Amino acid sequence: MDFNGKVALITGGAQGIGKAFSIALLNEGTKVCICDINDLAARKFVETLPDILQNNIIFEKFDVSSFSELEAVFEKVISIFGKIDIVVNNAGILDEHNWRLVIDVNCIGVINGVKLAFRYMNKNNGGQGGFVINTGSNTGFEPFELGPIYAACKHAINGLTRSYGTEYHWEKTGIKVNAICPGPVDTTLGHSFPDKSLDKEVAEKHNKVVKFIKPEEVADALIFLLKENKNGALLRIDHNGKRFA
């Protein structure tokens, strides 16, 4: 795809993987709205960008689990940029001690983003079609004994992505749906995993030996996935590289 002039909405776009996604898309010539609950992190991030990129980015504070709040963000982005071409459902947490919140953010939040993307980007509803990219995880393919609820949500994202990423939905809407599924990433979430897992001692041992992926590597994979123009694809990425599942 040609990124120049495109408009992207990224949930959880101010930190970690989302921040890397934002920078990668900005560098490709895309206008970006970063949506995040952490307004301080978002404003600090925007301030660090060169002036030429600051002109192409806006920030909206919202709670991803609230359909109405995210709907208001979609409306705001369209009022400013005129359209939305790419929706990246990236916001996520890992906290097995607060598992209902994990479901609200990692599962309900993604569903909210997909539903709204299909409303506002639908070529048969005044939109121009485009792409939805969901941030999944390698834990969406296999057991994750230290984070069962997190893994359950990531399994759900895989099913959601494959089900919406079909010819049926593409022909009706002009929207392609894919997911990027990284292994452990060098972010605050990744390093705080032991305290948020079911077994801190075992998780600390895990983090000492695991090979973390840089957020920039995940962002490179996002650009690759968009350029591949696929639909219903799950792109896995770890220290061995990237591959379609």
Side-chain angles (χ1 to χ4, degrees):
M1 68 176 295
D2 180 8
F3 292 90
N4 193 45
K6 295 294 192 295
V7 177
L9 185 157
I10 305 174
T11 69
Q15 308 168 78
I17 296 173
K19 179 179 176 180
F21 283 165
S22 301
I23 293 171
L25 286 170
L26 284 167
N27 285 335
E28 291 286 342
T30 304
K31 294 179 173 63
V32 172
C33 173
I34 53 172
C35 315
D36 208 292
I37 200 166
N38 190 332
D39 54 349
L40 180 60
R43 297 187 192 286
K44 285 185 176 179
F45 164 43
V46 173
E47 288 172 0
T48 65
L49 294 170
D51 290 344
I52 191 171
L53 294 184
Q54 287 190 27
N55 293 332
N56 287 331
I57 190 169
I58 61 173
F59 163 65
E60 290 294 322
K61 182 177 181 178
F62 85 120
D63 176 357
V64 71
S65 66
S66 169
F67 188 89
S68 61
E69 287 189 23
L70 185 52
E71 182 180 28
V73 172
F74 271 75
E75 294 275 2
K76 184 70 173 291
V77 174
I78 291 172
S79 71
I80 294 173
F81 292 135
K83 61 176 181 173
I84 299 174
D85 303 290
I86 303 166
V87 172
V88 183
N89 294 307
N90 170 73
I93 62 171
L94 197 170
D95 189 348
E96 294 297 311
H97 311 298
N98 194 355
W99 57 270
R100 286 188 181 274
L101 181 60
V102 173
I103 293 171
D104 284 342
V105 174
N106 294 10
C107 191
I108 301 301
V110 174
I111 293 172
N112 286 343
V114 172
K115 288 290 187 181
L116 287 164
F118 270 72
R119 176 191 296 179
Y120 287 97
M121 295 166 55
N122 189 336
K123 67 182 182 181
N124 292 316
N125 192 36
Q128 301 182 41
F131 285 88
V132 173
I133 305 294
N134 300 320
T135 299
S137 166
N138 278 355
T139 63
F141 299 93
E142 54 204 29
F144 185 35
E145 63 274 17
L146 298 178
I149 306 303
Y150 181 84
C153 292
K154 297 304 183 179
H155 275 76
I157 286 175
N158 285 356
L160 186 75
T161 299
R162 281 182 160 148
S163 297
Y164 270 109
T166 56
E167 285 299 309
Y168 170 81
H169 289 291
W170 159 248
E171 289 174 358
K172 289 185 67 175
T173 67
I175 299 170
K176 294 184 176 181
V177 183
N178 299 285
I180 185 166
C181 307
V185 184
D186 185 13
T187 61
T188 300
L189 186 149
H191 291 291
S192 66
F193 164 57
D195 288 327
K196 306 294 186 178
S197 73
L198 291 183
D199 190 323
K200 181 176 180 179
E201 183 178 354
V202 173
E204 285 177 338
K205 292 178 181 177
H206 169 273
N207 269 19
K208 286 180 180 178
V209 299
V210 72
K211 294 182 179 179
F212 284 98
I213 308 161
K214 292 296 182 183
E216 293 76 16
E217 295 178 73
V218 187
D220 287 344
L222 171 70
I223 301 302
F224 168 81
L225 180 55
L226 287 166
K227 288 181 176 179
E228 284 291 293
N229 202 35
K230 289 186 177 289
N231 191 25
L234 307 177
L235 180 62
R236 300 188 67 164
I237 174 172
D238 53 30
H239 60 277
N240 291 318
K242 53 185 178 287
R243 62 196 183 280
F244 287 106

